[in-house]
Amino acid sequence: MKTRTFDANATSGDSPFGDLPVWDLSHLYAGQDAPELKRDLDWLETASRDFAAGYEGKLASLDAAGLLEAVQRNEKIDMIAGRIMSFAGLSYYQKTTDPERAKFYSDCQEKITNYTAPLVFWMLELNRLNDDHLERLLEQNTDLARYKPVFDRLRAMKPYQLSDELEKFEHDLSPTMGSAWNKLFDETMAGLAFTVNGEELGLEAATTLLTEQDRSVREAAAREIARVLGQNIGLVARVHNTLTKMGEIEQRWREYETPQTPRHLSNHVEPEVVEALRNAVTSAYPRLSHRYYAMKAKWLGLDKMQVWDRNAPLPMEDDRKIGWDEAKGTVLDAYSGFDPKMAELAQPFFTDGWIDAGVTPGKAPGAFAHPTVTDVHPYVMLNYLGKPRDVMTLAHELGHGVHQRLAAEQGEFLSSTPLTLAETASVFGEMLTFRKLLAAAKDDAERKVLLAGKVEDMINTVVRQIAFYDFEVKLHDARRGGELTPDQINEIWMSVQGESLGPVFEFMDGYETFWAYIPHFVHSPFYVYAYAFGDGLVNALYAVYEEGDAGFQEKYFDMLKAGGSKHHKELLAPFGLDASEPAFWDKGLSMIEGMIDELEAMDS
């Protein structure tokens, strides 16, 4: 079976929201049998072997020019491997239930793991270089010095390295370790079927019903999600048990201080900064989520909220569906209002096949922006269903895309932004879109709906994600004591839900299984705090913007262009901000609190 060749002008034309765009993956490769793909796979195998033959055991003897050449050759290998896996991965996520696409993805992963196995020496040998020797080489060559952040990140892993043989062994095992369990989870979630009021739906469509105006529909969807997750809870618990055990083994062998340490290292963020964020948010639960949901219960005429009421629209909210063209116009206008350059950077996503927006059978749920490699462009995936939150999701993912385009000029090794900073442009794009809609509100009722929606989004981004983080911390700690039953994992989930959502909530039987469909726990352990980090950071940034900071736009674009070449302290300094100060997080949380104050005032 050949991979479909995607037409840049193709659309999913049967959508009730207008013609929804489909990816044109030919910008990567024309198909699974494309000669360019075979050429690149062959090149990768040869280039990796030649690189090892030329440099293994010899890095310490290289001069500055020789080390620069080695870095650039390694970067080219990384780019070609990234292009191949981007194509295979994006094809797979379009239809995870297609066995041909799943096989192609697995085969590419296995080939690249095998071909790049000779490169394992690279990080190990670099980290054996004497600090003073490496520093002298960097001082001698400005082009080499540009890669200092790459060396710094690699050398941060030095205390946790295993022997050369064990590192090679782990590399060879990788396709059958975490990634294999990730695929099992993805394929299971994509294959689930939910029947609500006689209609069979996938996970994305079923969870979207939790935002319907009709409370009986929301309840039916919540109970059906609980039923189906309950039927599959054993398998998902097996995935989590295995991955958390793998994490514990990795921690023990590498002597990581905590299960979170590798995430903090990859995010280039200090553990104490994350702890300050976590503590600031959890102490604010009563002022934020508890207070807001108590207000919302009154608006809905309820004494107690059920889980299917958490994201319910307000009674006065318009239930209309938003067409694709309107969503596109709203986001581009908001971006242009900040700076026309931002809208220009977003425009090709709509016109050149860089977005896949429709909800189709087997498609992975959720949304993401994938940067691919720096000589191509990012791709955005959505599951667009015409909800106001879908417009905000579009604004969010386009923010990522703009960020990734700007950072691409740093090159393959320096463009990748740590997760904590990767959420900056996405959340900022949401904020721009929200502020534009709020300014255009025709009356207090519409303003209230918009404000409430934004508060809920921020609670979902900050409070909910920190609760997720606490769930993961407790899950990994509990797993040290042995295999966890589904009921034990359910108990951990419920322990953080009540604390974060507040006393106005009652929890239906079955809600205890809702941890099972969250992909971040499987794909990216402890990723979730990055959302709260990004939201707090953007709230603080936006406050500076509203204060009329001179040259804000230019400084903002410079920050995005920096990609992964600078630490968060250096990036925020031009704005007078410092995330290592506890007061920084309070500043961000106070913006949410201010919006809740405004909503309370409207009720008085």
Side-chain angles (χ1 to χ4, degrees):
M1 173 183 172
K2 294 183 179 179
T3 297
R4 176 182 171 192
T5 300
F6 295 95
D7 177 0
N9 298 310
T11 57
S12 45
D14 57 349
S15 163
F17 317 113
D19 288 340
L20 298 179
V22 175
W23 279 332
D24 181 359
L25 296 183
S26 67
H27 303 164
L28 293 162
Y29 297 102
Q32 291 179 15
D33 56 355
E36 294 82 3
L37 175 58
K38 183 181 185 309
R39 175 203 66 198
D40 283 354
L41 281 165
D42 291 344
W43 180 90
L44 188 68
E45 183 177 22
T46 303
S48 299
R49 188 172 58 239
D50 291 349
F51 184 88
Y55 292 112
E56 189 166 10
K58 303 170 187 174
L59 293 190
S61 65
L62 296 176
D63 60 12
L67 184 57
L68 173 63
E69 181 184 6
V71 170
Q72 291 174 335
R73 284 179 63 181
N74 189 269
E75 187 172 33
K76 176 71 179 297
I77 289 170
D78 196 68
M79 180 179 288
I80 296 300
R83 178 189 281 261
I84 294 166
M85 286 313 303
S86 290
F87 176 69
L90 293 173
S91 299
Y92 169 70
Y93 279 115
Q94 280 189 310
K95 195 169 185 180
T96 62
T97 52
D98 181 350
E100 291 292 336
R101 296 190 191 214
K103 172 179 164 50
F104 177 66
Y105 184 34
S106 293
D107 287 349
C108 286
Q109 200 165 40
E110 191 169 316
K111 286 177 183 176
I112 286 176
T113 299
N114 292 337
Y115 295 169
T116 59
L119 306 179
V120 174
F121 82 92
W122 172 247
M123 182 179 80
L124 304 174
E125 246 182 80
L126 273 177
N127 281 346
R128 284 198 286 267
L129 295 180
N130 178 274
D131 289 344
D132 292 338
H133 172 67
L134 180 59
E135 192 62 39
R136 280 194 299 273
L137 294 181
L138 294 173
E139 290 171 356
Q140 292 167 13
N141 189 305
T142 54
D143 289 335
L144 181 64
R146 200 175 74 81
Y147 289 95
K148 185 178 185 301
V150 177
F151 294 124
D152 288 345
R153 289 199 289 272
L154 289 175
R155 291 170 83 80
M157 294 298 299
K158 186 175 180 178
Y160 310 108
Q161 280 183 193
L162 304 174
S163 68
D164 291 12
E165 290 77 12
L166 280 175
E167 292 287 359
K168 291 175 181 177
F169 177 65
E170 185 171 277
H171 176 89
D172 286 351
L173 273 180
S174 59
T176 60
M177 293 171 66
S179 60
W181 290 97
N182 290 347
K183 282 184 63 185
L184 174 62
F185 173 83
D186 290 339
E187 289 165 11
T188 300
M189 290 298 113
L192 296 182
F194 304 83
T195 304
V196 182
N197 295 336
E199 184 178 4
E200 187 171 295
L201 306 167
L203 176 60
E204 190 73 30
T207 55
T208 297
L209 291 180
L210 298 175
T211 64
E212 284 292 313
Q213 188 70 257
D214 187 333
R215 193 174 190 232
S216 66
V217 172
R218 299 197 306 270
E219 178 179 357
R223 295 195 183 281
E224 175 66 358
I225 291 168
R227 184 188 70 80
V228 175
L229 291 179
Q231 290 178 340
N232 292 272
I233 201 70
L235 186 150
V236 185
R238 167 65 49 227
V239 171
H240 281 67
N241 268 295
T242 304
L243 290 176
T244 49
K245 182 61 179 179
M246 286 167 57
E248 186 268 322
I249 295 168
E250 182 100 352
Q251 180 188 351
R252 180 157 35 87
W253 276 82
R254 293 189 182 277
E255 299 183 356
Y256 288 132
E257 291 80 0
T258 70
Q260 303 96 283
T261 296
R263 178 62 61 202
H264 298 336
L265 287 167
S266 68
N267 284 345
H268 320 151
V269 66
E270 301 75 15
E272 57 271 20
V273 172
V274 178
E275 193 63 15
L277 163 64
R278 183 261 170 202
N279 291 341
V281 174
T282 54
S283 65
Y285 284 171
R287 306 195 311 273
L288 301 179
S289 49
H290 296 190
R291 183 172 158 225
Y292 172 76
Y293 288 129
M295 254 195 316
K296 184 170 184 177
K298 291 178 183 176
W299 297 336
L300 296 175
L302 302 171
D303 293 325
K304 286 286 186 180
M305 294 261 281
Q306 297 289 343
V307 294
W308 55 80
D309 299 316
R310 184 173 62 83
N311 287 323
L314 302 189
M316 74 288 289
E317 191 168 333
D318 186 355
D319 199 28
R320 77 180 181 93
K321 297 294 188 286
I322 299 166
W324 178 250
D325 287 343
E326 182 182 346
K328 169 186 170 181
T330 298
V331 175
L332 289 179
D333 285 351
Y335 278 22
S336 184
F338 172 73
D339 192 300
K341 180 181 177 181
M342 198 165 174
E344 289 169 17
L345 287 162
Q347 185 66 39
F349 286 87
F350 295 99
T351 57
D352 295 358
W354 299 7
I355 297 179
D356 195 298
V359 178
T360 54
K363 184 177 176 180
F368 61 76
H370 177 57
T372 69
V373 287
T374 53
D375 65 346
V376 186
H377 58 76
Y379 284 91
V380 162
M381 191 191 85
L382 305 172
N383 278 272
Y384 189 82
L385 289 164
K387 295 276 190 177
R389 280 191 173 89
D390 292 333
V391 180
M392 289 299 176
T393 300
L394 173 61
H396 181 103
E397 300 305 340
L398 277 180
H400 278 306
V402 167
H403 193 175
Q404 290 157 357
R405 290 196 71 194
L406 288 167
E409 65 186 46
Q410 293 289 342
E412 200 64 24
F413 277 167
L414 289 164
S415 63
S416 180
T417 308
L419 295 177
T420 42
L421 297 170
E423 294 300 329
T424 305
S426 55
V427 179
F428 197 85
E430 279 189 78
M431 183 64 81
L432 291 172
T433 304
F434 163 71
R435 291 293 181 185
K436 181 169 183 61
L437 292 171
L438 193 66
K442 60 182 181 292
D443 53 35
D444 282 349
E446 185 176 344
R447 183 177 180 84
K448 182 176 182 177
V449 167
L450 287 167
L451 271 173
K454 185 58 178 172
V455 167
E456 289 193 21
D457 286 343
M458 294 167 103
I459 287 174
N460 284 336
T461 304
V462 177
V463 170
R464 186 165 166 80
Q465 300 303 327
I466 289 300
F468 283 179
Y469 177 69
D470 278 355
F471 166 76
E472 288 190 89
V473 171
K474 291 182 176 184
L475 177 69
H476 282 253
D477 286 348
R479 181 64 178 87
R480 292 176 182 279
E483 179 94 4
L484 298 173
T485 66
D487 285 344
Q488 288 174 310
I489 302 177
N490 292 347
E491 287 173 14
I492 296 170
W493 172 254
M494 294 308 297
S495 74
V496 300
Q497 290 301 299
E499 180 187 9
S500 62
L501 294 177
V504 77
F505 273 91
E506 289 180 344
F507 298 101
M508 68 170 189
D509 289 342
Y511 180 66
E512 65 274 8
T513 65
F514 274 43
W515 57 269
Y517 76 83
I518 310 296
H520 300 86
F521 302 153
V522 174
H523 289 286
S524 307
F526 305 106
Y527 174 103
V528 288
Y529 75 72
Y531 287 113
F533 194 110
D535 199 86
L537 189 155
V538 165
N539 287 345
L541 260 184
Y542 203 86
V544 174
Y545 172 54
E546 284 191 316
E547 290 162 6
D549 180 63
F552 182 91
Q553 279 86 340
E554 185 178 350
K555 287 189 281 189
Y556 178 75
F557 284 123
D558 285 343
M559 178 176 67
L560 301 189
K561 287 176 185 175
S565 67
K566 295 180 180 179
H567 187 266
H568 64 78
K569 211 173 186 70
E570 190 179 357
L571 286 172
L572 291 174
F575 303 96
L577 299 171
D578 185 349
S580 64
E581 296 178 359
F584 174 86
W585 301 113
D586 291 331
K587 184 173 185 174
L589 294 173
S590 68
M591 179 177 283
I592 308 175
E593 200 168 355
M595 290 183 183
I596 297 174
D597 289 341
E598 187 174 347
L599 285 167
E600 270 189 345
M602 286 181 170
D603 280 351
S604 61

